[in-house]
Each structure stands twice: as structure tokens, then as C-alpha cells.
Amino acid sequence: LDTLDTITSRACAEIKEFLELCMHLVTPETRVVLLKGKRAEEEINEALKHWQFDYQLKPSITDNEAHIVIIKNFNGGDNGTKK
């Protein structure tokens, strides 16, 4: 595999570590969809210290404390923006 259009994960790793694991498959056009728990925003903030990306944070419809994180425009770098 060279790159992927979409990557999904549930309960695999914290966002920073997950991006490290799959960075060789991700381009700025790749969408990364992560099913995360109540620490989703904390994990996003930690990942943004190491990587640059845009993201959306959506509430889960199955768990009031869970979130869906959608990452786009992954470029590495020092920061990102929330959309």
C-alpha cells in the first residue's frame, strides 16, 4: 500500500501514537476517523503539539461520553486547526 483514502480506528491507541503508526499511509487528502472516549479533546491537544492537521469533533450517538474525531489535512508540523 502506498497511501489510503480513509483510515478508521477504535480503541487502538492515543491519537498521537496512532498518527505515528499510520503516518506512512496518510497524505493531506486522507481522512482519519477515530472513535474515542471522553479524553478525545485532551488527546487532540497532545497530538497537535507534534502534528499539524485539521479536525472535527463529533458526539457519539451511542455513548454520551464518547466522540468521533475526523482528521483531515494531516501534514505533520507544530500545530493544527479545529473545524
Side-chain angles (χ1 to χ4, degrees):
L1 293 176
D2 290 326
T3 62
L4 299 172
D5 294 329
T6 304
I7 298 173
T8 62
S9 171
R10 179 186 174 278
C12 177
E14 290 196 7
I15 295 171
K16 177 186 172 290
E17 286 76 22
F18 185 79
L19 292 175
E20 289 172 1
L21 290 171
C22 66
M23 65 181 277
H24 64 285
L25 299 171
V26 177
T27 70
E29 293 78 33
T30 303
R31 181 183 334 201
V32 180
V33 181
L34 307 171
L35 286 74
K36 302 302 293 181
K38 60 185 173 184
R39 294 186 55 243
E41 286 190 83
E42 182 181 329
E43 288 186 33
I44 289 167
N45 291 330
E46 181 61 29
L48 287 171
K49 294 177 184 176
H50 305 274
W51 306 107
Q52 182 177 354
F53 55 85
D54 298 328
Y55 70 95
Q56 293 178 306
L57 186 62
K58 307 247 182 201
S60 169
I61 62 171
T62 59
D63 183 340
N64 290 339
E65 294 186 347
H67 299 85
I68 300 166
V69 179
I70 303 168
I71 294 174
K72 299 178 185 177
N73 301 319
F74 178 78
N75 288 312
D78 295 332
N79 59 27
T81 59
K82 180 177 181 179
K83 291 196 172 187

